[in-house]
Amino acid sequence: MKKVSSPYFDPEFDSLTERIFGPACRVSIDNESLRDCTVIKVDSVNKQGLLLEVVQVLTDMNLNISKSYISSDAGWFMDVFHAKDAHGNKVTDQRTINYIQQAIGTTTREVQKRKSITSKMYDPEPHSEPKAIEMTGPDRPGLFSEISAALAELHCNVVEAHAWSHNARLACVAYISDQSTDVPIDDRRLAAISDHLTTVLRATTAQNPAGEFSKQQEVKTAGLPEGEGSMTKVERRLHQLMLSVRDFDRPVVKLGQLNGTTAGDQELGMMRRGGSSSSSSTVGIESCKEKGYSIVTVQCKDRPRLMFDTVCTLTDMQYVVFHASIDSHRGYAFQEYFIRHVDGCALNTDGEKERVIKCLEAAIERRVCEGVRLELCAKNRAGLLSDITRVLRENGLLVVRADIATHGAKAMNAFYVRDISGNDVDMEFINQSMKRQIGPIDLAVKKEKSMMPSLPDRPRYSISDILKSQLERFSHNFVTIK
């Protein structure tokens, strides 16, 4: 499936306080009860998708959730989060506390936009509003470089872009503007840009004659909606795009593909062999016939935004979380969700259970990148992204994830890369090549590893014990806020 279109952003995400929470909502932020983390308690009338929206607010603040207890039966939503900031400390910044209380609060007035906390990563020129486009389809060696080069040829500035590659599929959301900066891209030109990018993506079909990924072409164009978009909105869309191209299905690797004679074949084989193994995460589903729930358990290495990724996937697959328990211990995460489909039914067939397991595994793996993280800072100019990705491609590096942003005259680019042949990346050589071909540039290198030993055993309890324990915690922890 190959698409070039504008990303979907739910317009209701821009008025969290008006949507989530009517007058019957209480929020408490407690920095006294626990020594090493902040306790955030939410008590509200329940509604579909509320859990994801609350988790999104906390994720937007770059908070790490180490524990959470959730209950939303009988039309009421009760949740407790144990949270830390990005540095592992309590949440003490008053601006962050105020925003959380406003975003998950009782007021109906519009939440004040705090650009320093929740705005997009770019600083647009006053006369050039960026346009949003999205691209999905089968990945191939150098595809992100080809996309960057095509945009440069079309005289487009890449103001911001985020790309994920997983299981030989690519999803990319990009915000572009005209190089002149005085003239916004009109709809007619945006359609021509989309057509050109579609041609770039279609080249993948020739490398897949069996039609492994081929689906009906769909092209849509639209401008960036009014208001500021948060990072989690873009990331939720990336999850949805990856789901739409079925990245949860692992490509079938033939012997000839693993021993291919071309560089592209070698890279595709390496990409498939080097992808995150399902052994790094364990997802299971049990039935609770007495209560009509399906119990989804997730065990994997802990990392930031993990709860957002799993809750986002369950929500987008049309499942409702009624109870949940989240815990992390010595670098591992343990998640347990009591769910039903939106139609009220539990997961009854083996096929449905297998799909949920595969989709959750994919959601966990999409962010996990083994290889080298490159952080590049340079003076922004037309064609800079195209030049950087070309150098990476010419040096045999595969881009498996990218986050591109501009801050005024500066361009901040982050890439996760691997060597096409599986060798160690010679970053000194890459650094010299960058400076020789691009000019002055600041380059920081960080190796990312996701290797992990077997998961430790977790004690199991009966369903009644779990629910009883959760309700006892809620009854002790929640207090009336006047």
Side-chain angles (χ1 to χ4, degrees):
M1 181 178 180
K2 304 176 291 295
K3 295 188 287 186
V4 179
S5 58
S6 61
Y8 167 79
F9 295 107
D10 187 345
E12 293 198 359
F13 277 165
D14 292 328
S15 57
L16 284 172
T17 54
E18 294 184 9
R19 296 179 297 99
I20 298 184
F21 330 97
C25 176
R26 296 192 295 270
V27 180
S28 171
I29 298 179
D30 177 9
N31 271 317
E32 302 299 329
S33 297
L34 298 178
R35 179 178 57 85
D36 59 346
C37 66
T38 299
V39 180
I40 302 172
K41 305 172 187 177
V42 181
D43 189 359
S44 171
V45 173
N46 193 28
K47 63 182 294 185
Q48 172 67 18
L50 177 59
L51 174 60
L52 175 59
E53 293 167 356
V54 172
V55 172
Q56 178 176 287
V57 170
L58 302 180
T59 305
D60 271 337
M61 300 297 100
N62 289 322
L63 302 184
N64 295 325
I65 301 170
S66 58
K67 292 181 185 291
S68 182
Y69 310 106
I70 299 158
S71 181
S72 60
D73 261 345
W76 199 258
F77 177 84
M78 296 183 291
D79 204 346
V80 177
F81 297 96
H82 293 186
K84 300 178 182 179
D85 65 18
H87 303 289
N89 303 317
K90 287 185 176 183
V91 183
T92 57
D93 181 77
Q94 194 59 46
R95 294 181 306 162
T96 302
I97 292 175
N98 291 343
Y99 179 83
I100 293 172
Q101 290 176 325
Q102 289 180 353
I104 314 175
T106 58
T107 179
T108 58
R109 66 179 181 272
E110 182 181 3
V111 177
Q112 180 182 1
K113 304 295 185 182
R114 283 178 168 77
K115 186 172 182 179
S116 61
I117 299 178
T118 61
S119 67
K120 295 193 64 56
M121 297 170 64
Y122 60 76
D123 296 321
E125 294 291 336
H127 301 294
S128 180
E129 180 184 2
K131 298 292 184 178
I133 57 175
E134 65 183 27
M135 293 154 276
T136 60
D139 197 13
R140 67 173 185 271
L143 178 57
F144 190 69
S145 176
E146 293 177 32
I147 292 171
S148 304
L151 290 172
E153 292 173 0
L154 295 168
H155 306 290
C156 296
N157 285 325
V158 179
V159 180
E160 180 182 348
H162 305 279
W164 288 357
S165 175
H166 179 247
N167 277 348
R169 278 80 161 181
L170 175 74
C172 178
V173 175
Y175 298 85
I176 60 174
S177 63
D178 190 271
Q179 285 183 8
S180 67
T181 71
D182 291 325
V183 181
I185 297 176
D186 57 34
D187 291 342
R188 182 176 180 180
R189 186 180 169 204
L190 189 62
I193 293 170
S194 298
D195 288 341
H196 188 79
L197 292 174
T198 300
T199 302
V200 174
L201 292 173
R202 280 177 179 170
T204 308
T205 307
Q207 298 186 11
N208 295 276
E212 180 183 355
F213 305 113
S214 61
K215 291 187 178 181
Q216 185 177 1
Q217 181 74 30
E218 180 180 346
V219 178
K220 294 181 180 179
T221 60
L224 183 67
E226 292 183 2
E228 297 172 340
S230 69
M231 187 61 201
T232 52
K233 295 178 190 177
V234 178
E235 290 177 346
R236 183 179 183 187
R237 186 55 185 154
L238 288 170
H239 277 301
Q240 292 171 335
L241 293 174
M242 280 298 200
L243 191 65
S244 71
V245 293
R246 300 178 63 88
D247 76 314
F248 51 86
D249 287 333
R250 300 183 183 277
V252 178
V253 183
K254 299 179 181 180
L255 182 61
Q257 289 174 310
L258 289 176
N259 299 317
T261 57
T262 68
D265 291 334
Q266 292 172 4
E267 181 173 12
L268 184 58
M270 181 277 295
M271 181 165 56
R272 293 173 177 176
R273 295 192 303 273
S276 300
S277 171
S278 60
S279 62
S280 64
S281 61
T282 302
V283 181
I285 298 179
E286 301 175 5
S287 296
C288 177
K289 295 181 180 179
E290 296 81 0
K291 298 292 184 179
Y293 296 125
S294 291
I295 309 167
V296 179
T297 58
V298 177
Q299 300 184 50
C300 63
K301 187 176 180 180
D302 195 19
R303 60 167 174 77
R305 297 177 179 256
L306 177 62
M307 186 177 181
F308 170 78
D309 293 338
T310 53
V311 172
C312 177
T313 299
L314 289 172
T315 303
D316 286 336
M317 294 184 72
Q318 300 297 301
Y319 292 102
V320 179
V321 176
F322 289 88
H323 301 278
S325 176
I326 312 297
D327 193 10
S328 59
H329 181 61
R330 290 189 294 183
Y332 293 93
F334 304 91
Q335 301 183 347
E336 195 166 43
Y337 298 99
F338 297 76
I339 69 170
R340 296 187 191 120
H341 196 267
V342 290
D343 61 9
C345 298
L347 283 68
N348 296 319
T349 66
D350 291 339
E352 187 178 11
K353 292 178 182 179
E354 181 182 2
R355 177 179 171 85
V356 171
I357 290 173
K358 291 168 65 176
C359 289
L360 284 173
E361 288 177 343
I364 294 168
E365 294 172 2
R366 286 169 192 149
R367 282 188 203 270
V368 179
C369 299
E370 292 185 19
V372 176
R373 174 182 169 89
L374 306 181
E375 297 179 355
L376 303 98
C377 178
K379 183 178 180 181
N380 192 27
R381 60 172 174 78
L384 176 63
L385 179 61
S386 176
D387 291 341
I388 292 174
T389 55
R390 174 179 52 79
V391 172
L392 295 176
R393 181 182 182 184
E394 290 174 350
N395 285 276
L397 296 183
L398 168 67
V399 176
V400 295
R401 181 175 154 191
D403 293 296
I404 314 302
T406 56
H407 299 278
K410 288 289 184 180
M412 308 293 293
N413 301 327
F415 301 94
Y416 289 86
V417 300
R418 291 199 300 262
D419 185 86
I420 192 172
S421 303
N423 300 321
D424 291 337
V425 179
D426 185 352
M427 291 316 307
E428 182 60 31
F429 180 77
I430 299 299
N431 193 9
Q432 294 301 322
S433 297
M434 287 282 183
K435 293 181 178 180
R436 183 171 58 254
Q437 300 187 44
I438 299 176
I441 190 169
D442 294 330
L443 176 63
V445 181
K446 179 181 179 182
K447 290 188 177 181
E448 299 285 338
K449 293 291 184 181
S450 62
M451 302 300 293
M452 57 186 292
S454 58
L455 289 166
D457 293 333
R458 184 189 183 196
R460 299 287 300 171
Y461 306 97
S462 68
I463 302 303
S464 60
D465 287 341
I466 294 174
L467 292 178
K468 181 179 179 182
S469 175
Q470 287 181 345
L471 293 176
E472 287 177 350
R473 278 191 289 261
F474 283 125
S475 63
H476 289 358
N477 285 328
F478 276 93
V479 295
T480 301
I481 299 176
K482 297 181 179 180

